Amino acid sequence: MAAAQISLPLPVLPEGWSAPNDFKAIGTLSTPNQRNLEPVGPHFLAHARRKRHKRTFSEDERIQANENVKKVEEEDGDDISEPENELMLGRDAKDWKGQDHYAVLGLSKYRYRATDAQIKRAHRKKVLRHHPDKRAATGSSEDDSFFKCIQKAFEILTDPVKRRQYDSVDENANVDPPSKKAASKSPSAFYKLWGPVFESEARFSKTQPVPMLGNDKSTKEEVEGFYNFWFNFESWRSFEYQDEDVPDDNENRDQKRHVERKNNNARKKKKTEDTARLRQLVDDCLGGDERIKKFRKEARAGKDKKRLEREAEEKRVAKEAMKAKEEQEKLQKEKEEAEKAEKAEGKKVKEAAKNAAKKNKRVLKGSVKDANYLLPQGQEAGAKRIDEMLGDVDAVLGKIDNEELASLAGKLGGLKLAEEVGGVWREEVKRLEGEGKLRTGEVRLLSS
């Protein structure tokens, strides 16, 4: 390209200019001193470096840029260093929602656990390596698309709201649950495989800290607290990051409201699906947890023990009740037998008394008969006399009891003479009349 030359005339001197003629010196220069000057500073060092290595300005800048990148990498160490693959370097910056922001900055192994300081260091490291000016200085033909990806990742991860939205849908941070076969290989495999799953899911909990799975030494209260927490898990996941972009223009408001409603419905659906996924995950873990089986077995054993104790107590009470009932029945039977025996004995006594009374009555009636109905010896008693005499005997018998009857029979036993028999009857009649049991004159023949 040809160089353009522009002529600029000096300004015109004002009228009355006479400086050369009117100049007056007001002082003199001092005597010069000899000094030795040494070149110093970064620019001299850069000049000396170029002269020593015989480099041009562009060559020296390129080499220095590479050394600075290497120096930064050595200072940062390998904690935030990850290899870059061609697929990542060739990403389209416009598809920023589909990119893995943590992987772009080399923080894949940290993800949601990455601190702000780590994010800033990783961004600085990436910028030093992929800044367009640096790439141009090194002679690279790579465009600035990946650099824009780096800047977008840094923008998302340094904004707390945007980072939370991205972490809400970061599937790369999830830990897949183990298969039933893998978790049941050994007692420790269950806790080793399921523990990281819940550690990963715990980042979505509104309540912190989150109880972890524990191990085979965990108490029943700890295990029940763990499953109760996860069955009632409250997640802050919102899925806004996956929203369809809402038009910013004010001309199509209906379309804007339609997209907003569509996004809200999509969020609710994803929230429901995520809740169901987590519930199924907890159910699967619960189904393979040997601690739950052990606790249930102990609970059943405790229930069986209580049941057996209760049944034994019921048997004991029933046995005692049966024994008491048998004892009561025995006593009742003995009582009934005693009453029966007593009744039979009483019946015997009554029967004996009755027989004795009959016998005594026969004795009494036989006494008057043997005494010729109280008539003198040799005088025959007529029918009337016999009937009246027996009537008087029956009247006396009707007024005395068995004891008196036995006493009277005892007195009359063995007596044959009319005077003796009559005397006994007269005493008895007199006694009965005296006691008011017989009226005077009611018994005529026995009282005369």
Side-chain angles (χ1 to χ4, degrees), residues 153-178:
F154 183 70
E155 175 192 343
I156 296 293
L157 298 183
T158 52
D159 186 317
V161 176
K162 293 180 180 179
R163 183 181 181 183
R164 187 177 178 88
Q165 292 176 354
Y166 176 69
D167 288 341
S168 175
V169 298
D170 185 13
E171 300 295 337
N172 293 318
N174 293 343
V175 178
D176 294 332

Side-chain angles (χ1 to χ4, degrees), residues 264-281:
N264 288 332
N265 292 334
R267 290 179 202 168
K268 292 179 181 178
K269 182 180 179 181
K270 291 173 183 176
K271 187 76 172 179
T272 302
E273 291 174 350
D274 183 65
T275 301
R277 175 194 66 83
L278 183 60
R279 181 59 185 261
Q280 184 61 46
L281 185 145

Side-chain angles (χ1 to χ4, degrees), residues 101-224:
H101 299 309
Y102 290 108
V104 168
L105 295 182
L107 297 171
S108 297
K109 63 181 179 181
Y110 294 99
R111 310 204 76 83
Y112 63 92
R113 293 185 295 271
T115 64
D116 292 340
Q118 287 175 324
I119 293 173
K120 291 177 181 178
R121 287 168 54 202
H123 174 256
R124 178 170 174 262
K125 184 176 178 179
K126 291 290 184 180
V127 167
L128 287 174
R129 180 179 296 176
H130 295 284
H131 194 282
D133 294 343
K134 298 292 182 181
R135 305 297 293 183
T138 59
S140 174
S141 60
E142 179 184 332
D143 60 14
D144 62 349
S145 180
F146 185 64
F147 179 76
K148 292 179 181 179
C149 292
I150 295 172
Q151 295 299 92
K152 192 65 179 181
F154 183 70
E155 175 192 343
I156 296 293
L157 298 183
T158 52
D159 186 317
V161 176
K162 293 180 180 179
R163 183 181 181 183
R164 187 177 178 88
Q165 292 176 354
Y166 176 69
D167 288 341
S168 175
V169 298
D170 185 13
E171 300 295 337
N172 293 318
N174 293 343
V175 178
D176 294 332
S179 64
K180 185 176 181 180
K181 182 178 180 181
S184 60
K185 281 186 177 180
S186 66
S188 61
F190 177 85
Y191 308 105
K192 184 178 180 180
L193 296 176
W194 274 107
V197 175
F198 287 100
E199 290 177 5
S200 172
E201 295 292 338
R203 70 187 191 273
F204 299 125
S205 176
K206 291 182 179 179
T207 304
Q208 296 290 341
V210 177
M212 290 293 105
L213 182 62
N215 51 42
D216 57 348
K217 305 298 182 183
S218 300
T219 63
K220 183 179 180 181
E221 290 74 17
E222 291 173 341
V223 176
E224 289 179 347

Side-chain angles (χ1 to χ4, degrees), residues 405-415 420-421 424 427-428 431:
L405 178 60
S407 176
L408 182 57
K411 293 177 181 180
L412 294 172
L415 298 180
E420 294 174 351
V421 174
V424 174
E427 289 178 3
E428 185 65 22
R431 184 184 69 78

Side-chain angles (χ1 to χ4, degrees), residues 24-76:
K24 293 181 180 181
I26 59 175
T28 59
L29 295 175
S30 61
T31 304
N33 294 322
Q34 189 70 27
R35 296 284 189 271
N36 293 327
L37 300 178
E38 295 182 0
V40 294
H43 294 289
F44 172 74
L45 293 177
H47 170 74
R49 186 175 59 248
R50 287 192 298 271
K51 289 297 183 180
R52 179 183 179 185
H53 297 290
K54 297 179 181 181
R55 300 174 185 167
T56 63
F57 275 90
S58 60
E59 289 175 344
D60 187 65
E61 287 180 355
R62 183 177 70 252
I63 292 172
Q64 285 300 109
N66 291 335
E67 290 181 354
N68 288 337
V69 171
K70 185 177 180 181
K71 182 178 179 181
V72 170
E73 290 178 350
E74 290 175 353
E75 290 177 353
D76 289 340

